[in-house]
Amino acid sequence: MSMNLDVASVDLNYERFRQLRMRLDMSRGKPSPEQLDLSQGLFDAALDEGYRARDGFDCRNYGLASGLPEARELGAELLEVPAAQVIAGGNSSLELMHDALAFALLHGVPVGEAKGQGEGRSAPWRAQGAIAFLCPSPGYDRHFAICEALGVRMIAVPMREDGPDMDAVEALVREDASVKGMWCMPLYSNPTGAIYADEVVRRLAAMPAAAPDFRLFWDDAYRFHHLTDERHATPDVIEACAAAGHAERVLMFASLSKVTFAGGALAWLAASPRNVAWWQRCAAVRTIGPDKLNQLRHVRFVRDRAALEALMARHRALLAPKFAAVDEVFRARLAHVPQVRWNVPRGGYFTSLYAPPGCARRTVELAGEAGLVLTPAGAAFPYGVDSEDSHLRIAPSFPALEEVRLAAEGIAVSLLRALEERGMSVR
Amino acid sequence: MSMNLDVASVDLNYERFRQLRMRLDMSRGKPSPEQLDLSQGLFDAALDEGYRARDGFDCRNYGLASGLPEARELGAELLEVPAAQVIAGGNSSLELMHDALAFALLHGVPVGEAKGQGEGRSAPWRAQGAIAFLCPSPGYDRHFAICEALGVRMIAVPMREDGPDMDAVEALVREDASVKGMWCMPLYSNPTGAIYADEVVRRLAAMPAAAPDFRLFWDDAYRFHHLTDERHATPDVIEACAAAGHAERVLMFASLSKVTFAGGALAWLAASPRNVAWWQRCAAVRTIGPDKLNQLRHVRFVRDRAALEALMARHRALLAPKFAAVDEVFRARLAHVPQVRWNVPRGGYFTSLYAPPGCARRTVELAGEAGLVLTPAGAAFPYGVDSEDSHLRIAPSFPALEEVRLAAEGIAVSLLRALEERGMSVR
């Protein structure tokens, strides 16, 4: 970027912002180059010890469809689940989520008690007529894209600061057998930063479900991604489901994508033993094994929970000032504007900014005309439709701090211009 | 192994073989450690030039769902297809094949002419009632496992030295609209080593199909895996299909698994522009991108067709003596046994040994009791059923040469013992 940063002052207005000819894409939650540099050790040293696993297994060759044992154990330590209940996969937890839904559509999922040699598997979801997923909203657009592509109807439920509106969730799940699943991001939820309360997790685990094959798709993407001194955590949902007599209810997903390399890390699936056996049967015909060399690199570089937390503290040191800058600019520019609010996330990758109803789409458009690409308005809602046209997702991780500050200014002046166009009061 | 190799002499019989207490698994076509050592450069130097792609793209981060452009171009050079028609994926072409079938079941595939903005996509195969795939047999057991798991009926068609029995194939494809696809391994086919004749490829491309959404699943796994001085090749099937007015008919799959690291290479899908666009749409919701660091390593290490062929010549130098040893032992032990025959492959990873009918399963059993694990009898046939109980798949790539020789001796004496048990003449 070549703009003069001095103009990012209180005198900035939309015209001046536009004249800066910024060229910045803030639409996705990508780590910055400096964050990726934190894992340089993955290149430098991780395979100096050779390509053999602890037990001598040659990681260059075929095999180990469920992942390298030590990669499963690392997942077990981080996710607090027995290693036998953890699958270590490729470079993307999104893939695991997509495939879990595709497998359920094509093969069905385990239900009820395991009966003798029988598998106790439900009919393929695809053969059960129209099915639906609950989608706490605002939520993660890539979750919703999977449902849309696979023909799964999405039912939006309101997202609150402590998780989804559980009265609404319980009523839908209890009454509607077509509701087969629900997307959950329990900690620092994308994009609102919500943290599921203990009671929310307990109710999700315990609630009666009309569909015996109902599943929580538990995307624990930001489990280690704290932005404050407090390391928030949510209850062990696998344990909670088992305790409530719904051992098969939850599929947990996590990855190291925003710990080491966003495009070249490893992902885990964790679940009950029967769910894991189901996954293994479905996946066994698909692959002879993941890239175990990359798993080995990660085991050697990330090592254990303490080392991971030290690494995450360095991520935080890079990320927290960017979120603080967004908040600071919004406070200066938007604090007194009626019907405008935003959150200050305690972790994760996003700030949610709420514009007065009817103004989000126009704000994104104005920012785009000035060269600042934001996540499309509505993206955080099923089918891309925010009926209020109010929500904006801000992803400040990738740009440099000064760019973030200027971008936040640009978002603010774009929003103010959108309000002016509609003749709305801006103070 | 600790057996005395001297006993691998003409005096060996089944009892003595068993006393050797061999412990060897020859069930799969795995590269040997020496073959994997050929790609040590992937560790040593490939990322010394850094993690940036040619255009400066940071390969550590998210993005490039269809693969790194230079990885697609490498595939294009090797597969002789335009780069825009190549997808560079993860570490497994099997995954691409599985997902192509899963996408077809869930989404349908492109058919007919592209009509304006419409996609011209068939109904999801899953919604079209029971569907079937033609399976030239003996064939690749992992192909058949995908069909079985996804509920696709398998119809065996005879495999000949120059490819599948085309009269049978043409009749089935012309008359039965439930036949949606066919598995093909055109060069050095697993496990018979067949090489599709030009005329076979031409007929596959041109034959009328009752199903407008019929697909050839073209697994070009052994495209570069020559075992003789003659670099066999099969005609360009994508071109042949387009020339015959069936541009959308074929999906080609290939990988570097048996070129560099079996478990950590990269795979390609190549097809018509419309098929590639279909794949991109289906896969876009599944992943934010493959591991581009590993793609970059491969681009820098494998470089181009000439470098690849030099590398494959070194593979051949390790593999060819093993296949020769198998042939030599079989000639010495089995040449004069009625109804026994085997092939001497010109490429690929397998020798097929045909026992007299009714003897294959018992041969595998006897070898197993002596500590030599072979591919289960029948594995090369749909549903694992070889109605003749005659075919044995021999995979000599992984063990050391002397082990291969002894294992071949063991297979021979196990086969002879099986014949004796059935009171059959062995000379």
Side-chain angles (χ1 to χ4, degrees):
Chain A
M1 297 211 310
S2 59
M3 80 287 293
N4 176 356
L5 291 174
D6 294 341
V7 298
S9 71
V10 287
D11 293 334
L12 189 74
N13 60 22
Y14 181 70
E15 274 69 33
R16 295 193 59 184
F17 175 61
R18 197 168 163 163
Q19 285 160 9
L20 294 178
R21 300 181 167 277
M22 193 176 205
R23 288 293 170 268
L24 183 63
D25 187 339
M26 280 218 335
S27 64
R28 307 299 321 176
K30 287 170 63 174
S32 65
E34 295 73 23
Q35 288 179 268
L36 299 168
D37 288 343
L38 299 177
S39 294
Q40 187 65 22
L42 271 176
F43 293 134
D44 294 342
L47 286 182
D48 286 357
E49 298 168 53
Y51 49 75
R52 289 196 182 278
R54 190 176 55 198
D55 66 356
F57 184 91
D58 186 339
C59 291
R60 302 171 302 178
N61 220 323
Y62 289 121
L64 298 179
S66 300
L68 191 67
E70 43 268 62
R72 301 174 70 184
E73 288 168 23
L74 178 62
E77 182 185 353
L78 297 178
L79 305 177
E80 298 175 75
V81 178
Q85 289 174 237
V86 177
I87 302 288
N91 72 321
S92 161
S93 58
L94 192 72
E95 287 183 4
L96 300 180
M97 293 179 235
H98 172 280
D99 290 354
L101 184 49
F103 290 158
L105 286 163
L106 293 167
H107 304 293
V109 297
V111 283
E113 295 303 306
K115 297 175 189 76
Q117 301 291 36
E119 287 192 2
R121 201 186 277 187
S122 70
W125 286 0
R126 188 87 192 182
Q128 296 191 43
I131 66 159
F133 260 50
L134 302 190
C135 300
S137 303
Y140 180 28
D141 54 351
R142 291 192 191 273
H143 290 164
F144 303 159
I146 290 174
C147 277
E148 193 163 3
L150 294 176
V152 175
R153 186 168 63 98
M154 290 181 271
I155 302 173
V157 294
M159 190 66 164
R160 306 175 182 235
E161 274 197 32
D162 66 348
D165 176 341
M166 282 307 301
D167 291 342
V169 168
E170 284 172 341
L172 285 159
V173 171
R174 183 177 58 237
E175 286 156 22
D176 185 348
S178 81
V179 174
K180 293 293 188 189
M182 173 174 172
W183 292 108
C184 300
M185 297 191 80
L187 189 63
Y188 311 136
S189 198
N190 175 350
T192 65
I195 300 173
Y196 283 27
D198 292 5
E199 178 64 6
V200 166
V201 176
R202 195 198 59 72
R203 287 171 73 178
L204 287 167
M207 63 186 173
D213 47 358
F214 175 80
R215 285 292 183 283
L216 300 170
F217 276 53
W218 199 262
D219 182 358
D220 216 350
Y222 300 110
R223 188 180 177 96
F224 310 109
H225 301 66
H226 317 292
L227 287 170
T228 73
D229 286 338
E230 190 173 356
R231 291 179 185 162
H232 291 274
T234 52
D236 179 340
V237 68
I238 294 176
E239 171 88 15
C241 287
H246 302 132
E248 271 53 271
R249 174 165 288 184
V250 63
L251 301 172
M252 179 192 282
F253 306 93
S255 82
L256 293 176
S257 292
K258 292 189 179 87
V259 174
T260 62
F261 296 150
L266 71 88
W268 291 292
L269 175 149
S272 71
R274 289 184 65 213
N275 277 331
V276 166
W278 164 80
W279 175 272
Q280 288 169 321
R281 277 194 302 274
C282 295
V285 301
R286 188 179 173 273
T287 180
I288 313 177
D291 182 346
K292 298 165 297 292
L293 291 169
N294 202 36
Q295 296 190 341
L296 191 61
R297 279 185 202 98
H298 276 83
V299 166
R300 289 176 182 167
F301 177 72
V302 174
R303 293 210 307 280
D304 56 23
R305 184 164 186 128
L308 176 128
E309 286 181 348
L311 180 56
M312 294 315 294
R314 301 182 68 194
H315 279 283
R316 177 186 158 196
L318 292 165
L319 284 169
K322 297 179 181 178
F323 283 95
V326 169
D327 181 52
E328 192 183 307
V329 170
F330 286 179
R331 276 177 191 273
R333 297 257 175 209
L334 302 173
H336 304 298
V337 182
Q339 301 188 76
V340 171
R341 64 192 169 88
W342 63 93
N343 72 312
V344 182
R346 292 162 289 178
Y349 263 61
F350 302 101
T351 291
S352 278
L353 171 64
Y354 295 86
C359 294
R361 197 170 297 273
R362 182 60 184 150
T363 300
V364 171
E365 208 169 75
L366 286 163
E369 289 171 9
L372 173 61
V373 181
L374 300 176
T375 309
F381 295 80
Y383 308 105
V385 177
D386 172 9
S387 59
E388 300 275 294
D389 187 24
S390 164
H391 179 264
L392 294 160
R393 188 178 85 163
I394 317 292
S397 55
F398 185 80
L401 180 57
E402 282 311 307
E403 289 177 315
V404 169
R405 193 178 303 277
L406 183 61
E409 298 272 1
I411 293 164
V413 295
S414 298
L415 173 54
L416 294 172
R417 168 56 57 94
L419 300 190
E420 284 168 18
E421 288 178 355
R422 278 157 183 69
M424 297 170 85
S425 165
V426 296
R427 60 191 69 238
Chain B
M1 297 210 314
S2 59
M3 81 288 292
N4 177 354
L5 292 174
D6 293 342
V7 299
S9 72
V10 287
D11 293 335
L12 189 74
N13 62 21
Y14 181 70
E15 275 71 31
R16 294 192 62 185
F17 176 60
R18 196 167 165 164
Q19 285 160 8
L20 294 179
R21 300 179 166 279
M22 193 175 206
R23 290 292 170 268
L24 183 63
D25 186 339
M26 281 220 333
S27 64
R28 307 297 324 175
K30 286 168 64 172
S32 66
E34 296 73 22
Q35 288 179 267
L36 299 169
D37 288 343
L38 298 177
S39 294
Q40 187 65 23
L42 270 178
F43 293 133
D44 294 342
L47 286 183
D48 286 357
E49 298 169 53
Y51 48 76
R52 290 198 181 276
R54 188 177 56 199
D55 65 357
F57 184 90
D58 186 339
C59 291
R60 302 172 301 179
N61 220 323
Y62 289 120
L64 297 179
S66 299
L68 191 67
E70 43 267 64
R72 301 174 71 184
E73 287 169 22
L74 178 62
E77 181 184 355
L78 298 177
L79 305 177
E80 298 174 75
V81 178
Q85 289 174 237
V86 177
I87 301 288
N91 73 321
S92 160
S93 58
L94 192 72
E95 289 182 1
L96 300 180
M97 293 178 233
H98 172 281
D99 290 355
L101 184 48
F103 290 157
L105 286 162
L106 293 168
H107 304 292
V109 297
V111 283
E113 295 304 306
K115 295 178 189 73
Q117 300 292 34
E119 287 195 359
R121 202 186 275 187
S122 71
W125 286 1
R126 188 87 192 184
Q128 295 193 42
I131 66 159
F133 260 50
L134 301 190
C135 300
S137 302
Y140 180 27
D141 54 351
R142 292 192 190 273
H143 289 164
F144 303 161
I146 289 174
C147 277
E148 193 163 3
L150 295 177
V152 174
R153 186 167 64 98
M154 290 181 273
I155 302 173
V157 294
M159 190 66 165
R160 305 175 182 236
E161 276 196 31
D162 65 350
D165 176 340
M166 282 308 301
D167 291 342
V169 168
E170 284 171 341
L172 284 159
V173 170
R174 184 177 57 238
E175 286 156 22
D176 186 348
S178 80
V179 174
K180 293 293 188 190
M182 174 174 173
W183 292 108
C184 298
M185 296 189 80
L187 189 63
Y188 312 136
S189 199
N190 175 352
T192 65
I195 300 172
Y196 284 27
D198 292 4
E199 178 65 5
V200 166
V201 176
R202 195 199 58 73
R203 288 172 72 178
L204 287 168
M207 64 186 172
D213 47 359
F214 175 80
R215 284 293 182 282
L216 300 169
F217 276 54
W218 198 264
D219 182 358
D220 216 350
Y222 301 110
R223 187 177 178 98
F224 310 108
H225 300 67
H226 316 292
L227 288 169
T228 74
D229 286 338
E230 191 172 354
R231 291 180 185 164
H232 292 273
T234 53
D236 180 340
V237 68
I238 294 176
E239 171 89 17
C241 287
H246 301 133
E248 270 54 270
R249 174 166 288 184
V250 63
L251 300 172
M252 179 192 282
F253 306 93
S255 82
L256 294 175
S257 292
K258 292 188 177 88
V259 174
T260 62
F261 297 149
L266 72 88
W268 290 292
L269 174 149
S272 72
R274 288 184 66 213
N275 278 330
V276 166
W278 163 80
W279 174 272
Q280 287 169 321
R281 275 193 302 274
C282 294
V285 300
R286 189 181 172 269
T287 181
I288 313 177
D291 183 344
K292 296 164 299 290
L293 290 168
N294 202 37
Q295 295 190 342
L296 190 62
R297 279 186 201 96
H298 277 82
V299 166
R300 290 176 181 168
F301 177 72
V302 174
R303 293 208 308 277
D304 56 22
R305 183 163 187 129
L308 177 128
E309 285 181 349
L311 179 57
M312 295 314 295
R314 301 183 67 193
H315 279 284
R316 176 185 159 197
L318 292 165
L319 284 169
K322 296 180 182 179
F323 283 95
V326 169
D327 181 53
E328 192 182 306
V329 170
F330 286 179
R331 277 176 191 273
R333 297 262 175 202
L334 301 172
H336 305 297
V337 182
Q339 302 187 79
V340 171
R341 64 191 169 88
W342 64 94
N343 71 313
V344 182
R346 293 163 287 179
Y349 262 61
F350 302 101
T351 291
S352 279
L353 171 64
Y354 296 86
C359 293
R361 197 168 296 273
R362 181 61 182 149
T363 300
V364 171
E365 206 169 77
L366 286 162
E369 289 171 9
L372 175 60
V373 180
L374 299 177
T375 308
F381 295 80
Y383 309 104
V385 177
D386 172 9
S387 59
E388 299 274 295
D389 187 25
S390 164
H391 180 265
L392 294 160
R393 188 179 82 164
I394 317 292
S397 54
F398 184 80
L401 180 58
E402 283 311 307
E403 289 178 315
V404 169
R405 194 178 303 277
L406 183 62
E409 298 272 1
I411 293 164
V413 295
S414 298
L415 173 54
L416 294 171
R417 167 57 56 94
L419 299 190
E420 283 169 16
E421 287 179 355
R422 277 155 183 70
M424 296 169 87
S425 165
V426 297
R427 63 188 69 240

